[in-house]
Amino acid sequence: MDDEPELRTRDWLPRTAALVLGTLALASAFIAAYVGALHKPDPKDVPVAVVSSDQQAQAVMSAVRARTDTIKPVRYDSRDRAVDGLNDRSVYAVLGSAPGGLTLTTASAGAPAATELVTDVFTQAAQQAGVSLQVTDEVPVSGGDPRGLVPFYLAVGVVLGGYLASTALGISLGTSPRGLRQAGLRTATLAVHSALLGLIGAVLVGPVLDVFPHDVGTIAVVGALAAFAAGMVAAAVQAWLGLLGTGIVILLLVVLGNPGSGGIYAPEFLPAFLRGMHRWNVPGLATDLLKSAIYFDWRGGGWALTGLVVWVVVGLAGLFTATLIRARRRAARTAPGRRVAAEG
């Protein structure tokens, strides 16, 4: 009897130490990722379109590129294709020439900070060349979203809700479902939760806050998909790794996912190792798809939509595979005991 407190301490101490150390590691990574990525943006190779046959615009672009690597020229065969690149967010602006000077066509809704940078660079370049510059914003941000950050904040909210719902189910019911029926019920619960969260988010940024009042249905669908993708990814990782999986999910979706989403700053403003992350992580895909749906009539949203669907499929496969494997292991462990009981 006297040994019981000591045994409890031996069991409690390593688990508590692991949780504390894990929390410290995640918090430290959070600080390093956010401060490291966002404290001093260093834009490099911000893409700007120019038509190959436009000699005046080409000359100014070449002069800018010779001075700095901040701007990267992207050449198109025609003006129409360059504008298509602007609308699908392959470039942040289109530099052209007109009688008496230059034109710069932008789409600030894609990334206001990048648009501002590009405008400043070419305003100075035009002054140095002694020509005028006319700037036109083809896709401006909404009056309720002057910094263009609402799609990012909305994406963060629904992604956070998705993995928190999965974590809550894991705490209450166990991180790994005991059978396929339980896995199906967990998936259905996450789907309903995601649909409700998507609708709530759309109503909040629509009629309630009057940011995007005309896009409630669109935002609800995209928000639900993003929340469901985050929830399924979390459910799969937690089913395989248990409590450790929760820490990994936070690392991927929050610690690295948010600064690497391209939501606060355009990817070209981020450190090199984060610049391509928005093309595969859930917060980045959700942010890109929301911008595409709200501001660009779904143009350029194909990759983001495909990515979120892939994450849903991967999450489903991971959850159900883990459930099957763990169920078979439990059955294998109990089978010898059953045989012995039957023989007795």
Side-chain angles (χ1 to χ4, degrees), residues 271-335:
F273 75 97
L274 288 176
R275 289 189 180 186
M277 190 175 291
H278 72 108
R279 292 186 59 80
W280 62 265
N281 73 14
V282 176
L285 293 168
T287 301
D288 283 350
L289 188 56
L290 282 166
K291 285 185 177 182
S292 174
I294 294 169
Y295 283 118
F296 293 89
D297 295 327
W298 295 96
R299 290 171 293 189
W303 175 263
L305 176 61
T306 301
L308 288 175
V309 171
V310 167
W311 276 122
V312 169
V313 173
V314 169
L316 286 167
L319 174 63
F320 280 87
T321 301
T323 300
L324 278 172
I325 290 175
R326 289 182 178 274
R328 289 175 181 175
R329 288 176 179 174
R330 284 192 294 269
R333 286 196 299 267
T334 58

Side-chain angles (χ1 to χ4, degrees), residues 111-127:
T115 300
E116 182 179 352
L117 170 73
V118 169
T119 301
D120 289 344
V121 168
F122 284 103
T123 297
Q124 294 177 14
Q127 291 173 350

Side-chain angles (χ1 to χ4, degrees), residues 6-283:
E6 183 178 351
L7 291 173
R8 285 196 298 269
T9 300
R10 289 177 182 175
D11 181 59
W12 168 84
L13 189 58
R15 183 178 301 177
T16 302
L19 288 172
V20 171
L21 290 175
T23 302
L24 285 172
L26 282 174
S28 300
F30 185 95
I31 295 169
Y34 275 71
V35 176
L38 306 177
H39 77 291
K40 188 180 180 182
D42 183 22
K44 182 178 181 181
D45 291 333
V46 177
V48 176
V50 63
V51 178
S52 299
S53 60
D54 190 337
Q55 295 182 359
Q56 183 181 16
Q58 285 275 20
V60 173
M61 182 72 78
S62 297
V64 168
R65 185 65 177 177
R67 291 195 304 270
T68 176
D69 62 358
T70 300
I71 302 297
K72 181 180 77 172
V74 180
R75 293 174 174 81
Y76 288 87
D77 295 334
S78 68
R79 172 77 181 183
D80 289 341
R81 291 190 176 182
V83 172
D84 288 342
L86 178 68
N87 287 325
D88 68 20
R89 289 176 295 135
S90 298
V91 296
Y92 294 107
V94 179
L95 181 68
S97 61
L102 296 169
T103 63
L104 187 69
T105 306
T106 65
S108 62
T115 300
E116 182 179 352
L117 170 73
V118 169
T119 301
D120 289 344
V121 168
F122 284 103
T123 297
Q124 294 177 14
Q127 291 173 350
Q128 292 173 354
V131 297
S132 63
L133 177 69
Q134 180 180 352
V135 181
T136 304
D137 193 349
E138 288 289 329
V139 189
V141 292
S142 164
D145 182 27
R147 298 173 61 204
L149 292 176
V150 172
F152 166 68
Y153 293 140
L154 181 59
V156 169
V158 294
V159 168
L160 175 69
Y163 86 76
L164 283 179
S166 178
T167 301
L169 290 173
I171 292 173
S172 62
L173 303 175
T175 55
S176 180
R178 297 192 63 82
L180 292 179
R181 182 175 180 273
Q182 288 78 8
L185 289 173
R186 184 165 303 192
T187 300
T189 302
L190 289 174
V192 172
H193 173 272
S194 299
L196 292 173
L197 181 59
L199 179 60
I200 291 169
V203 171
L204 285 174
V205 301
V208 175
L209 299 175
D210 198 31
V211 181
F212 304 124
H214 305 298
D215 299 291
V216 174
T218 296
I219 293 172
V221 172
V222 176
L225 176 60
F228 191 49
M232 291 314 306
V233 168
V237 175
Q238 290 163 346
W240 281 102
L241 300 177
L243 187 60
L244 175 62
T246 301
I248 292 176
V249 167
I250 294 173
L251 178 66
L252 293 176
L253 297 185
V254 180
V255 174
L256 295 176
N258 288 351
S261 68
I264 298 176
Y265 287 112
E268 293 80 11
F269 285 57
L270 301 175
F273 75 97
L274 288 176
R275 289 189 180 186
M277 190 175 291
H278 72 108
R279 292 186 59 80
W280 62 265
N281 73 14
V282 176

